[in-house]
Amino acid sequence: MRKIPIIFILFLFSLSFLNGQTVEIVRDTYGIPHIIGNTPRESAYGLAWAFCEDRPEAVIFNILEVRGRLAEAYGRNYLGEDKKFRAFGIYSMADSTFADLPTDVAAYFEGFALGCTNYFSQHPEALPQEVKNMDILPITAVDAYAVGSLYALSRQFGRFKKESSDTTSVEDASNQWAIAPFRTRDNAGYLLCDPHLPLGEFGGSYEAHLISRDGVLDYEGTFGGPYTGMGHNRHIAWSHTSNSPDFADAYIVTLDPADSNRYLLDGVSKPFTVWQEVIKIAGEAPDTMTFRKSADHGVVMQTLDDQHVLSAKLDLLNTPPVGEQMFRMMTASSMAEFKNAVALHLFSKRNTVALDDYGNIYYVYCGRTHYRNDPIAARTGPLYGSDSNTLWGDLIPFSALPFVSNPTSGYLQNCNDAPWYVTQNPGFGKDDVPIELYYGDRFGIRGRRATELIDLGADTMDADYLKRVALDLKVVQWDSVDTVLQLALQESAADSFQYQQQAEALADTLFQWNGRAATDSKAMTLFYMWYYLLKDDINFLQPNSIDSSKRRLMVKELVEAPKQLNALYGSSSISWGEIHGFERSGIWFPISGDKQLQTARMGGWKQRDAQNRLIVEQGNYYMMLIRLKAGESPQAWTMKPFGESSDPESPHYNDLTTLYSADSLRKTWYEEDEFRAHAEKIEKLDLTAIENRNGNTNTLPHKFVLSPNYPNPFNPQTTIKYQIPIFSYVKLSIFNTLGQEIRTLVNTRKSPGNYSIRWDGRDNFGKKVSGGIYFYRLEAKNFKQTRKLVLLR
């Protein structure tokens, strides 16, 4: 770890003293917030405030989701989601593990939670209409911490559904690579972040820059609430792609015939854990649901018949949210610190690639899964749960995960491929990786293309070249079949094909095409329609498998393609961007690339609109190209589909969409003089004077305090004030002179802040107590204090 000069520490201390507890949000001309606090806790407070300003619906939705209360706000359609979150104990796992977090990590989530609470307390109009009558506030640190399990539950439950009913689970498609300095013209290291995800119900990716004056945090990247997905600080850049560890299983479990709340394992009857939950539903009577689970098979999801149930065993049942690992990665100042953070082994799945400012590059295939007696059977369908041989073994340790550090090739790449394709000679092969960690021997189009372009770049790559790699539009399928089409045309001419002249003219359009899925390309549209007509009969990527009958089909469908275009769009000559994109605020945004054809610049569509246009719903969710070099400021270029704000009236609703549609990476402003020079708006949040709707002052206190009550002596009531610096279980009680507890005023978890409560001189049964001396005691995490008060009668 680098040592910070003492003069710099004293300078930071002086800044902290002068600034007090003030968080500054500097928004640049794209509305991106650069958030400055004295500590990461205060920066998290500012992040929450900015997030609530820009995406209030997303904040509230995520909180309700982890609490299992979506149906209460949005109706019965969300009852299944609530049932899932409660069944797998997402919130209870976060609640039970939060107290074990290191103080600095807990403080980060506490700051975020308090920022959300105070924002919505001051701006109740920002709350979605559906929750205005709900007890949504305060948002707690556990709420914020629990959000980190959303991704894991989505992917693990999707895997369970695939194994239990042969449905298609959600799989991401993303790109990432890192280039060592000896491969670049400017001797700098480069890293690409490029997740390919659904573009987002609440506005997609959210970009922010967090700075703490204490030197711990100076991080820029994409965020989902308090959690970051990928980005960089001054010393480390990192990214993820999706991989395929087997972290979920479906079990058919045999019930004990004498008791449906027990099950049989190796002939022995064992009890389920059984509990009930009341789930409120908007506009309806609440539902009371009974849940059953076991340590052997997970949560019972379905009754199959009188004797059997279907259970879901997910790794996250025993895994806390990834909050500590995320925070340590975000604040790492060296590759060694970053590796230690990843080694916490909390990621359920993720190929992780990292680069530091000294040019070290690192890859690890993260995945939490367990050894199996029969790992192949565990992948292919429900397991017979009454035999203990089907149960999970030990967790595969972090030390067994495939990794590469500083390969001689000078590059690492993973586009959802098997780990042994991450670079040349990675040092391990298929036989060295536990089979529970991967699925298949995949090396797909995007991974092959990235490797090809990196090889072509040799040792003279620079930022401009690597931007072209990131935004590559090459349609590899065309390269595979262009010579096959030439042969097919020769054969059809020899056979006097009826529409030979038309076929040759159309083929000539394709032969002159550069093979790129650009928005202005008409040849791309022709190729796509031709490919679409043939895809069920011909594999374009295996030209040697295309025999003479299929070659004749290629010619026939080429002639058919313009007819189909004309029928759909009223023209046989139409550019790709006219039919491939999305509409936002009445504006059509053309999108280049294509997911089905697997270009690096990706636009995935599932449905057509009324005009038969292909509506892009998935693609480059947040692209960031990062340059790091020791002694120089980090540089980054980003592109994301939507602006920062989810408000259609905001100027930052579509501004970044315009750049996205134009395949334009914009340079970020990282240094303070840069983003202040491009500041559009500056907000200062005084943390010592923020009031909520109840008139209480919420600060970010730095210690526990139990204040003297006022008035004292008193009659008929007195006010007791106290402050909590961290999220803690709090108990505040009144005792008589015999030490007997006569009144419990507070007995619950509390977020950090300042609180006050009145005692009216009554006991727990509502009866007035006699005058005299009493004591009040505050108990919290590692804190206990008692004070005296006098009641006059």
Side-chain angles (χ1 to χ4, degrees), residues 510-530:
L510 294 178
F511 292 141
Q512 294 183 44
W513 176 41
N514 64 4
R516 268 58 175 176
T519 54
D520 62 354
S521 174
K522 294 181 179 179
M524 170 61 194
T525 310
L526 174 64
F527 175 81
Y528 188 85
M529 182 55 67
W530 182 52

Side-chain angles (χ1 to χ4, degrees), residues 8 36 56 71 79 97 104 175 233 266 299 329 333-334 375 393 399 412 520 586 588 633 658 673 676 717 719 737 790:
F8 183 63
I36 308 167
L79 186 60
T97 57
D104 57 341
N175 299 341
N233 59 32
D266 294 334
V299 177
M329 291 167 70
S333 61
S334 67
S399 59
L412 297 165
D520 62 354
W588 176 254
S633 295
T658 302
D673 59 346
R676 287 192 183 278
Q717 62 183 18
T719 298
T737 54
V790 178

Side-chain angles (χ1 to χ4, degrees), residues 525-545:
T525 310
L526 174 64
F527 175 81
Y528 188 85
M529 182 55 67
W530 182 52
Y531 168 85
Y532 188 79
L533 293 171
L534 289 167
K535 65 183 180 64
D536 293 332
D537 301 299
I538 298 176
N539 187 337
F540 277 42
L541 292 174
Q542 295 181 0
N544 293 333
S545 69

Side-chain angles (χ1 to χ4, degrees), residues 72-108:
E72 184 178 349
Y74 303 110
R76 179 166 288 275
N77 287 342
Y78 288 92
L79 186 60
E81 281 297 297
D82 287 349
K83 179 181 177 181
K84 180 171 68 175
F85 272 80
R86 297 195 189 201
F88 290 103
I90 299 303
Y91 192 89
S92 60
M93 173 60 77
D95 190 31
S96 65
T97 57
F98 185 86
D100 298 326
L101 287 177
T103 302
D104 57 341
V105 180
Y108 175 82

Side-chain angles (χ1 to χ4, degrees), residues 65-344:
E65 192 169 18
V66 296
R67 290 180 181 178
R69 296 179 62 189
L70 287 173
E72 184 178 349
Y74 303 110
R76 179 166 288 275
N77 287 342
Y78 288 92
L79 186 60
E81 281 297 297
D82 287 349
K83 179 181 177 181
K84 180 171 68 175
F85 272 80
R86 297 195 189 201
F88 290 103
I90 299 303
Y91 192 89
S92 60
M93 173 60 77
D95 190 31
S96 65
T97 57
F98 185 86
D100 298 326
L101 287 177
T103 302
D104 57 341
V105 180
Y108 175 82
F109 289 103
E110 289 160 359
F112 188 89
L114 188 57
C116 291
T117 298
N118 285 340
Y119 180 83
F120 287 120
S121 295
Q122 290 192 63
H123 303 281
E125 73 284 352
L127 287 167
Q129 187 62 40
E130 294 87 348
V131 306
K132 288 188 182 294
N133 295 321
M134 292 175 60
D135 56 338
I136 188 77
L137 300 180
I139 292 169
T140 70
V142 168
D143 290 324
Y145 177 54
V147 167
S149 293
L150 288 175
Y151 177 85
L153 179 59
S154 171
R155 273 37 185 181
Q156 292 184 29
F157 193 73
R159 182 70 209 176
F160 155 74
K161 290 203 305 183
K162 181 177 177 63
E163 293 184 3
S164 62
S165 58
D166 199 29
T167 59
T168 302
S169 60
V170 177
E171 294 296 339
D172 305 323
S174 305
N175 299 341
Q176 65 176 352
W177 37 256
I179 311 295
F182 71 83
R183 294 290 305 271
T184 68
R185 189 189 303 275
D186 54 358
N187 295 313
Y190 288 83
L191 181 138
L192 176 75
C193 311
D194 186 13
H196 298 164
L197 295 169
L199 299 186
E201 181 181 357
F202 297 111
S205 53
Y206 188 80
E207 185 177 338
H209 181 190
L210 303 187
I211 303 166
S212 62
R213 295 296 194 192
D214 60 7
V216 173
L217 191 59
D218 194 351
Y219 176 85
E220 175 183 33
T222 178
F223 285 85
Y227 282 87
T228 181
M230 52 199 72
H232 71 95
N233 59 32
R234 289 194 174 274
H235 307 295
I236 296 285
W238 47 278
S239 179
H240 301 301
T241 62
S242 182
N243 56 8
S244 55
D246 188 8
F247 43 36
D249 277 324
Y251 282 99
I252 296 175
V253 180
T254 302
L255 301 176
D256 183 335
D259 187 349
S260 62
N261 287 328
R262 301 180 70 89
Y263 62 97
L264 300 178
L265 182 65
D266 294 334
V268 177
S269 177
K270 300 181 69 174
F272 286 111
T273 299
V274 183
W275 76 100
Q276 288 188 327
E277 302 251 0
V278 177
I279 303 180
K280 296 180 180 179
I281 307 171
E284 300 183 36
D287 269 11
T288 299
M289 294 190 171
T290 300
F291 298 94
R292 291 176 289 176
K293 72 176 179 180
S294 75
D296 295 314
H297 308 110
V299 177
V300 174
M301 301 305 301
Q302 182 184 351
T303 299
L304 300 176
D305 54 43
D306 291 343
Q307 296 180 321
H308 302 92
V309 294
L310 181 69
S311 289
K313 182 72 175 286
L314 312 184
D315 175 74
L316 61 77
L317 283 165
N318 301 305
T319 308
V322 298
E324 182 179 0
Q325 183 164 323
M326 178 275 303
F327 185 82
R328 298 294 180 224
M329 291 167 70
M330 189 166 59
T331 57
S333 61
S334 67
M335 186 62 79
E337 286 187 11
F338 182 85
K339 290 179 179 180
N340 288 337
V342 180
L344 290 171

